[in-house]
């Protein structure tokens, strides 16, 4: 589209450069193109994103939606002036949620609020969103960039997203078939993902841009705390979809805010309890650094962070080996961390 006639000196004087928005859209188009799938019907830049829904083979298709942001992890991206991966987190937080009910992601939309629209910066953010969409098989069919002068500092921005998926109603995971004797399999995380950053900000004095954030850390294998914290959230969609095709999955938990204690119980029915063996959890070094630096009690750590487990799946004990083999083949570090027992507590860590 030709925007040569669309200019407003008065609006620019008020802090909003609409021509910067047009340039950002042009720069991001190549990234959006990477995400196109069979459902895409139009190009970015229209008033609404259109998607053709293919429900062939489904008896009763159900749309599943999820929305989320990256929290204060965005603060770390701003401090490091690295914006090309935070979009992966935005997608991950949405698609990892909807896959928990068995839904295949179809499309995604993003929303970026910024103090000043710097086209190259916005395009970099969207490049990360596009990468997350590619990893999950979702199409990026639209979005919005809003310039908020006076409400946000020039260098600041926030990022959120919205995903829609589809599942046949009879295949929705609702935990009703979970039974005593089933086992809990962990899928390793890539780090902190996108939760608990408010505590990280306090522990590492992030708001004051603590110089130690950028020093090599021996406990992290020589990586800095800053780059470790910015590691993108793992997207589990394709691995879980493959697992659902071949194994009787009874429940899935995305380990986000609230850690083990808040998320695993969400997939466990009344009368049953996930008994987790803490010693079996492969705790990543960054969590040890957080606990030691901030003197954080173990229970608080497991109630805030994923501790190295980004997702849990519950399967029959007889299918555990098969499930782990499939997940391993899909590139996951998958291993047993517990079992389902009778009880009213929903979760026990011991």
């Amino acid at each position: 589209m030709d925007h040569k006639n669309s200019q407003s000196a008065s609006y620019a004087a008020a802090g909003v450069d609409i021509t910067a928005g047009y340039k950002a859209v042009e720069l991001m188009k190549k990234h959006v193109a990477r995400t196109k799938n069979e459902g895409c019907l139009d190009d970015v830049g229209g008033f609404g994103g259109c998607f053709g829904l293919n429900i062939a083979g489904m008896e009763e298709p159900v749309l599943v939606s999820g929305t989320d942001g990256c929290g204060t992890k965005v603060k770390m991206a701003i401090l490091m002036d690295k914006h090309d991966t935070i979009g992966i987190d935005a997608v991950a937080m949405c698609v990892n949620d909807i896959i928990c009910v068995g839904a295949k992601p179809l499309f995604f939309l993003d929303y970026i609020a910024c103090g000043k629209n710097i086209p190259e910066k916005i395009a970099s953010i969207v490049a990360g969103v596009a990468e997350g969409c590619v990893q999950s098989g979702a199409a990026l069919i639209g979005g919005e960039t809003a310039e908020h002068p006076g409400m946000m500092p020039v260098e600041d921005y926030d990022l959120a997203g919205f995903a829609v998926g589809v599942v046949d109603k009879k295949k929705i995971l609702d935990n009703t078939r979970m039974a005593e004797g089933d086992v809990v399999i962990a899928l390793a995380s890539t780090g902190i993902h996108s939760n608990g950053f408010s505590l990280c900000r306090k522990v590492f004095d992030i708001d004051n841009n603590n110089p130690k954030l950028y020093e090599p850390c021996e406990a992290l294998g020589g990586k800095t705390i800053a780059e470790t914290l910015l590691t993108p959230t793992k997207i589990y969609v394709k691995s879980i979809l493959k697992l659902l095709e071949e194994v009787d999955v009874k429940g899935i938990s995305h380990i986000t805010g609230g850690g083990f204690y808040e998320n695993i119980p969400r997939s466990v029915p009344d009368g049953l309890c996930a008994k987790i063996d803490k010693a079996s959890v492969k705790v990543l070094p960054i969590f040890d650094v957080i606990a030691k630096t901030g003197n954080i009690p173990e229970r608080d750590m497991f109630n805030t962070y994923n501790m190295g487990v980004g997702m849990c799946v519950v399967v029959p004990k007889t299918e555990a080996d098969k499930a782990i083999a499939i997940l391993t083949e899909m590139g996951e570090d998958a291993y047993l961390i517990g079992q389902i027992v009778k009880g009213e507590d929903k979760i026990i860590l011991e």
Side-chain angles (χ1 to χ4, degrees):
M1 182 183 296
D2 185 358
H3 300 293
K4 65 181 180 180
N5 293 321
S6 183
Q7 300 178 29
S8 174
S10 298
Y11 207 9
V16 177
D17 183 358
I18 56 177
T19 59
Y22 300 141
K23 182 178 180 182
V25 170
E26 291 302 316
L27 291 175
M28 68 178 69
K29 280 187 175 181
K30 64 182 179 181
H31 304 300
V32 175
R34 296 181 58 217
T35 75
K36 287 197 172 185
N37 59 28
E38 67 279 1
C40 293
L41 298 181
D42 61 5
D43 291 326
V44 66
F47 287 101
C50 299
F51 191 89
L53 183 60
N54 181 359
I55 57 174
M58 292 189 181
E59 295 178 8
E60 195 172 354
V62 175
L63 294 178
V64 181
S65 61
T67 185
D68 208 341
C70 309
T72 55
K73 186 171 186 174
V74 172
K75 180 74 172 181
M76 183 56 64
I78 293 170
L79 287 175
M80 292 187 67
D81 194 24
K82 179 174 172 54
H83 313 286
D84 61 345
T85 61
I86 195 71
I88 299 174
D89 294 282
V91 177
M93 297 306 293
C94 297
V95 298
N96 282 347
D97 274 355
I98 66 175
I99 194 65
C100 287
V101 294
K104 176 184 178 181
L106 297 172
F107 59 83
F108 186 85
L109 292 91
D110 61 23
Y111 177 82
I112 304 170
C114 58
K116 181 177 177 59
N117 188 332
I118 302 172
E120 293 77 12
K121 185 176 180 179
I122 298 300
S124 183
I125 296 169
V126 174
V129 174
E131 175 58 28
C133 287
V134 169
Q135 290 183 23
S136 62
L140 178 55
I141 65 170
E144 174 69 10
T145 301
E147 205 168 4
H148 291 169
M151 288 186 64
M152 304 174 71
V154 169
E155 71 277 4
D156 277 9
Y157 65 88
D158 196 13
L159 171 65
F162 174 85
V164 173
V166 66
V167 61
D168 204 344
K169 187 175 182 179
K170 65 183 179 182
K171 294 184 178 180
I172 291 176
L173 297 177
D174 59 6
N175 77 26
T176 55
R177 297 180 302 101
M178 197 174 294
E180 181 183 13
D182 290 340
V183 297
V184 183
I185 297 175
L187 279 69
S189 71
T190 49
I192 293 182
H193 286 185
S194 298
N195 300 102
F197 270 81
S198 292
L199 181 55
C200 281
R201 287 165 62 195
K202 179 181 178 182
V203 169
F204 296 122
D205 195 21
I206 289 175
D207 289 350
N208 291 317
N209 207 11
N210 182 359
K212 290 186 178 297
L213 289 167
Y214 310 102
E215 298 174 359
C217 178
E218 184 178 351
L220 299 176
K223 294 181 67 176
T224 68
I225 292 173
E227 63 182 317
T228 302
L229 294 180
L230 202 54
T231 302
T233 303
K234 174 77 172 178
I235 292 177
Y236 300 97
V237 170
K238 293 179 180 178
S239 298
I240 294 296
L241 287 175
K242 177 68 173 177
L243 187 69
L244 290 170
E245 290 177 358
E246 302 188 34
V247 172
D248 181 20
V249 178
K250 303 286 192 73
I252 304 176
S253 302
H254 182 200
I255 312 303
T256 57
F260 280 56
Y261 286 102
E262 291 294 329
N263 292 289
I264 293 178
R266 294 168 66 180
S267 67
V268 178
D270 292 341
L272 293 179
C273 173
K275 185 178 180 181
I276 305 298
D277 176 17
K278 283 191 296 186
S280 69
V281 176
K282 298 179 182 178
V283 178
L284 294 175
I286 184 60
F287 298 109
D288 291 330
V289 173
I290 292 171
K292 182 178 180 180
T293 304
N295 193 27
I296 310 298
E298 183 182 65
R299 194 188 190 285
D300 286 0
M301 290 296 296
F302 274 92
N303 200 35
T304 304
Y305 298 106
N306 67 61
M307 300 301 287
V309 178
M311 188 162 280
C312 291
V313 296
V314 176
V315 303
K317 185 176 182 179
T318 54
E319 295 194 65
D321 289 343
K322 180 180 179 182
I324 290 173
I326 291 170
L327 291 168
T328 300
E329 185 178 351
M330 293 297 294
E332 306 294 345
D333 180 7
Y335 58 96
L336 287 175
I337 60 167
Q339 60 182 320
I340 302 300
V341 299
K342 288 184 178 180
E344 299 299 326
D345 293 331
K346 293 292 187 82
I347 184 169
I348 298 174
L349 273 70
E350 58 180 30

